[in-house]
């Protein structure tokens, strides 16, 4: 939290006061707030446990800590708080004058130790201010030290006579000396012999307040190797403004210097290389398109000698028709505008013969941004063109064969990130016409969200292993239908082992998947039938028998029992009863899921059903002084399954009784319109948090409030939803925590049987 200074030099901050004595807390709170009306927040905890919980939330600037708490005593309290909040200042407020306790408190992280008397309370503001100031200073120093230590550059501090005072990790990496070896030594140990006086001159300039920036020079490391560096040296000033030393930042530029030398050599080699290349015509044009250079490859491909073309306009390589259309100038303009011009087309040699050329024209600019000229590279790809035409014919024949088999084909150029596909491929993804662009990222947008990450992993594995195999779901473009596809591919690599191409097929396997899913569903249904049979026979019947035995014991049929024995027997019976209720709920849920529309529809009086269910809970409501009001007509008939509606009302009224507070209220309302019959059950209990409402009607779901009660299965509301929706109705809940909760059941007035 950012601290700011307010009246009496007290920082604006959030204080956690851990004190179990209310009088002490109120006294000190009054003391602090009476001096500072704004910017001060005081939070109070009366135990160590509650304080630790609040510290986990963060936002605390300082802790006032009593050492005598209900759940912790003495120095152990300081240790626990310091471990929970290692960076928050702690001020101990204690009633004991034991100096040993005070010393131990400071030893284990307390900023100050004050007594709870008037004199120390008057100095509390000052102690808080000092603690926060010291904490800010420590944090600032730690950040600065972290930045210096994390720097890859060598950051070195030295006195004006050259003695090293600080040495970071970057200096150790650059020069080979550890901080222990370098600190206290003269900076001259890094100087080469021929530069022995350089540092003395630099330090003299620093003493005058000058700063040396980006000085390129040479230093020597521990192994005696010379290192090219760029050094920036600045004065270090003490608090009174005098210059007490120098700080230097040394950056290794050995690689840069080496790169410059390599660049010069490379340019010379490049010139020689271009001149000797025979497979490519590489030549330079000036800004007006006149030929400036001509290599051996240009002579071989185009048939001109250098003396015939240098100084000529490059349009001589175009046909007369192309020159009339202004294509040479247009190509140069495109190169300037887009950064390059590239095409594959037929060109004419000096002797008039044609060849198929791959042409690239790139502009060259000077550092000032002025156009210098153009580089033009031409390659004869006539043989490759013929091979491409043959491949196109082969692809056409293959496409016809695969189209008959409903299989799409694709060819992924991994270098250019482009994909050739057959029409059948795009049709599988829901397109009747070819898609303009396609690559793996476009493919991923069609993948079902749940399968997208798996598809990426399969593609990555295919690049590494060479074998791409995957089955996933896609969302088809034309009708948004979810379809299953199978993708098979093979990756091709260059001589360096880098993947450059992937080819394969894609097929729609939805029908096959549906058959597999149907078989799996049948197997799952059979397993569930076996599970239900186990519940009804192997679990339910023994539990019911056990309950009868418990009744005999409780009734004394097997002899008198002590009070403790009776209590144990009753607990065992209640536990069995809860388990039987869970089994009954599971059975009901299963029956509704298996045959959601298997309702026994008859004309029944909904008002009577509600009254009967209310009569069952009224005795229990009186025990807790809960008031139940009912706003229902005497008779309201509906077409419904009476037993199942009774189950809904029992669950909803039972929930209302469970969560209504002692002395609270439960309201039942029954309304009818021309289209719907509405039942509302309202209680004024703890309510349901907004984030719990979406999952309220799911299996085994219980809100935080419901988890405080024993006996809940988490199936009641799920079953209510199944029954209501089977009647063609809806059930919903609205709630405001600590105010009200309303469950609303809406049933159609005219139920279709």
């Amino acid at each position: 939290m950012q601290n700011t200074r307010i009246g009496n030099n007290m920082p604006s901050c959030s204080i956690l006061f851990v004190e179990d004595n209310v009088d002490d807390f109120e006294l000190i709170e009054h003391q602090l707030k009476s001096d500072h009306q704004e910017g001060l927040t005081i939070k109070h905890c009366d135990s160590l446990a509650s304080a630790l919980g609040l510290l986990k939330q963060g936002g605390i600037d300082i802790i006032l800590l009593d050492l005598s708490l209900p759940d912790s005593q003495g120095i152990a309290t300081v240790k626990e708080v310091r471990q929970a909040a290692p960076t928050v200042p702690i001020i101990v407020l204690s009633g004991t004058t034991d100096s040993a306790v005070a010393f131990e408190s400071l030893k284990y992280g307390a900023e100050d130790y004050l007594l709870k008397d008037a004199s120390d309370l008057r100095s509390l503001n000052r102690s808080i201010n000092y603690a926060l100031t010291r904490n800010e200073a420590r944090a600032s120093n730690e950040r600065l030290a972290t930045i210096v230590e994390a720097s890859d550059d060598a950051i070195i501090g030295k006195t004006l006579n050259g003695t090293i005072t600080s040495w970071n990790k970057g200096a150790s990496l650059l020069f080979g000396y550890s901080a222990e070896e370098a600190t206290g030594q003269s900076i001259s140990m890094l100087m080469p012999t021929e530069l022995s006086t350089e540092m003395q001159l630099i330090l003299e300039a620093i003493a005058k307040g000058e700063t040396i920036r980006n000085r390129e020079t040479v230093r020597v490391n521990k192994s005696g190797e010379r290192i090219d560096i760029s050094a920036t040296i600045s004065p270090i000033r003490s608090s009174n403004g005098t210059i007490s030393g120098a700080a230097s930042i040394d950056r290794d530029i050995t690689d840069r210097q080496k790169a410059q030398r390599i660049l010069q050599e490379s340019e010379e080699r490049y010139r020689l290389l271009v001149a000797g290349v025979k497979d490519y015509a590489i030549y330079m044009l000036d800004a007006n398109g006149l030929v400036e250079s001509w290599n051996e490859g240009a002579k071989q491909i185009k048939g001109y000698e250098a003396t015939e073309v240098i100084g000529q306009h490059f349009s001589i390589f175009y046909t007369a028709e192309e020159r009339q259309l202004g294509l040479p100038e247009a190509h140069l303009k495109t190169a300037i505008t887009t950064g390059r011009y590239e095409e594959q087309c037929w060109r004419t040699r000096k002797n008039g013969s044609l060849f198929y050329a791959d042409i690239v024209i790139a502009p060259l600019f000077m550092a000032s941004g002025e156009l210098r000229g153009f580089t033009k590279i031409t390659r004869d790809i006539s043989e490759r063109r013929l091979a491409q035409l043959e491949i196109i014919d082969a692809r056409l024949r293959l496409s016809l064969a695969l189209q008959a088999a409903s299989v799409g084909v694709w060819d992924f150029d991994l270098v250019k990130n482009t994909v050739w596909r057959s029409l059948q491929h795009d049709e599988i993804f829901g397109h009747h016409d070819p898609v303009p662009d396609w690559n793996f990222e476009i493919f991923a947008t069609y993948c079902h969200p749940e399968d997208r990450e798996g598809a990426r992993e399969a593609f990555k594995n295919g690049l590494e292993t060479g074998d791409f195999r995957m089955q996933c779901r896609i969302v088809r473009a034309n009708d948004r239908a979810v379809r299953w596809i199978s993708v098979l591919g093979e990756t091709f690599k260059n001589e360096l082992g880098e993947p450059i191409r992937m080819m394969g097929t894609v097929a729609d396997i939805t029908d096959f998947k549906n058959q597999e899913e149907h078989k799996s569903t049948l197997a799952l249904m059979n397993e569930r039938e076996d599970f239900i049979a186990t519940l009804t026979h192997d679990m339910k019947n023994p539990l019911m028998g056990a309950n009868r035995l418990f009744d005999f014991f409780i009734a004394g049929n097997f002899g008198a029992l002590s009070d403790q024995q009776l209590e144990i027997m009753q607990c065992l019976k209640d536990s069995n009863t809860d388990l039987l209720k869970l089994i009954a709920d599971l059975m009901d849920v299963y029956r509704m899921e298996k045959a959601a529309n298997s309702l026994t529809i008859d004309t029944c009086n909904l008002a009577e059903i509600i009254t009967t269910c209310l009569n069952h809970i009224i005795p229990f409501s009186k025990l807790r002084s809960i008031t139940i009001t009912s706003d229902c007509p005497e008779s309201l008939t509906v077409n419904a399954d009476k037993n199942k509606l009774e189950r809904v009302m029992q669950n909803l009224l039972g929930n209302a009784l469970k969560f209504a507070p002692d002395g609270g209220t439960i309201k039942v309302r029954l309304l009818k319109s021309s289209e719907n019959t509405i039942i509302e059950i309202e209680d004024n209990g703890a309510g349901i948090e907004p984030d719990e409402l979406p999952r309220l009607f799911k299996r085994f779901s219980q809100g935080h409030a419901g988890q405080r009660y024993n006996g809940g299965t988490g199936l009641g509301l799920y079953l209510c939803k199944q029954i209501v929706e089977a009647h063609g109705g809806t059930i919903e809940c609205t709630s405001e925590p600590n105010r009200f909760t309303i469950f609303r059941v809406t049933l159609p007035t005219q139920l279709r049987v």
Side-chain angles (χ1 to χ4, degrees), residues 132-182:
L132 289 174
T133 301
R134 286 194 296 270
N135 200 49
E136 290 174 3
R138 278 196 298 268
S140 177
N141 289 337
E142 288 172 359
R143 288 193 297 271
L144 180 59
T146 300
I147 292 171
V148 170
E149 194 60 25
S151 174
D152 291 333
D153 294 333
I155 302 178
I156 304 170
K158 59 186 78 69
T159 65
L160 291 177
N161 63 7
T163 301
I164 297 172
T165 57
S166 65
W167 185 270
N168 76 333
K169 184 178 179 180
S172 296
L173 293 174
L174 181 59
F175 297 117
Y177 295 97
S178 67
E180 292 78 9
E181 291 175 310

Side-chain angles (χ1 to χ4, degrees), residues 267-528:
E267 289 176 348
E268 179 61 20
R269 286 197 298 270
Y270 176 73
R271 186 186 65 78
L272 296 173
L273 177 64
V274 169
V277 169
K278 296 181 180 180
D279 294 332
Y280 291 82
I282 304 174
Y283 53 97
M284 301 285 294
L285 308 177
D286 68 9
N288 296 316
L290 302 180
V291 179
E292 287 188 330
S293 66
W294 193 254
N295 77 330
E296 183 65 23
K299 175 183 175 181
Q300 295 285 342
I301 293 174
K302 295 182 178 289
Y304 293 94
E305 295 288 344
T307 55
E308 296 178 275
V309 294
I310 291 179
Q312 299 293 320
H313 195 274
F314 85 111
S315 58
I316 63 173
F317 308 128
Y318 288 72
T319 64
E321 293 79 10
E322 290 173 332
R323 288 195 293 271
Q324 287 181 349
L325 293 173
L327 293 185
E329 293 77 11
H331 294 169
L332 294 183
K333 184 176 181 180
T334 300
I336 295 172
T337 304
T338 64
R340 67 189 286 131
Y341 173 78
E342 185 173 2
E343 71 168 337
Q344 292 182 355
C345 59
W346 293 101
R347 280 286 176 261
T348 305
R349 294 188 177 92
K350 179 182 177 181
N351 61 10
S353 62
L354 296 175
F355 69 99
Y356 201 74
D358 181 13
I359 299 172
V360 177
I361 303 175
L364 298 174
F365 295 95
M366 293 186 289
S368 62
E370 182 182 353
L371 179 65
R372 163 65 180 83
F374 302 88
T375 299
K376 191 168 187 293
I377 302 175
T378 303
R379 181 162 55 120
D380 184 351
I381 57 171
S382 301
E383 293 183 1
R384 192 177 78 178
R385 178 62 176 171
L386 294 174
Q388 286 176 338
L389 293 175
E390 292 178 358
I391 292 174
I392 291 172
D393 290 340
R395 280 179 173 172
L396 178 60
R397 291 191 294 271
L398 178 61
S399 177
L400 293 173
L402 293 174
Q403 187 173 358
S406 298
V407 176
V409 181
W410 49 271
D411 184 349
F412 191 174
D413 186 330
L414 298 170
V415 178
K416 296 182 179 180
N417 197 31
T418 57
V419 184
W420 173 89
R421 299 98 54 211
S422 65
L423 179 60
Q424 184 67 27
H425 173 284
D426 289 3
E427 287 178 346
I428 290 174
F429 289 86
H431 299 281
H432 297 302
D433 297 317
V435 180
D437 298 309
W438 194 269
N439 53 41
F440 183 80
E441 292 304 321
I442 296 175
F443 162 76
T445 64
Y446 289 81
C447 287
H448 191 281
E450 295 177 1
D451 295 352
R452 198 166 291 156
E453 189 59 32
R456 294 185 187 279
E457 288 297 323
F459 180 69
K460 180 180 178 181
N461 185 65
L463 292 176
E464 294 174 352
T465 65
D467 188 15
F468 180 28
R469 295 177 180 270
M470 176 183 68
Q471 290 184 2
C472 70
R473 290 168 293 175
I474 62 169
V475 180
R476 200 160 54 188
N478 55 349
D479 56 6
R480 310 308 295 169
V482 177
R483 307 290 293 179
W484 275 96
I485 62 169
S486 173
V487 184
L488 301 175
E490 182 178 357
T491 303
F492 300 90
K493 300 182 180 181
N494 60 17
E495 61 275 6
L496 300 177
E498 300 167 337
I500 58 172
R501 188 177 184 184
M502 183 183 283
M503 299 177 63
T505 62
V506 59
D508 188 323
I509 59 169
T510 305
D511 294 339
F512 173 73
K513 278 288 185 179
N514 288 340
Q515 293 174 3
E516 285 188 336
E517 185 176 350
H518 179 66
K519 293 178 182 178
S520 177
T521 301
L522 290 177
L524 182 62
M525 291 178 64
N526 291 333
E527 290 179 3
R528 191 160 65 170

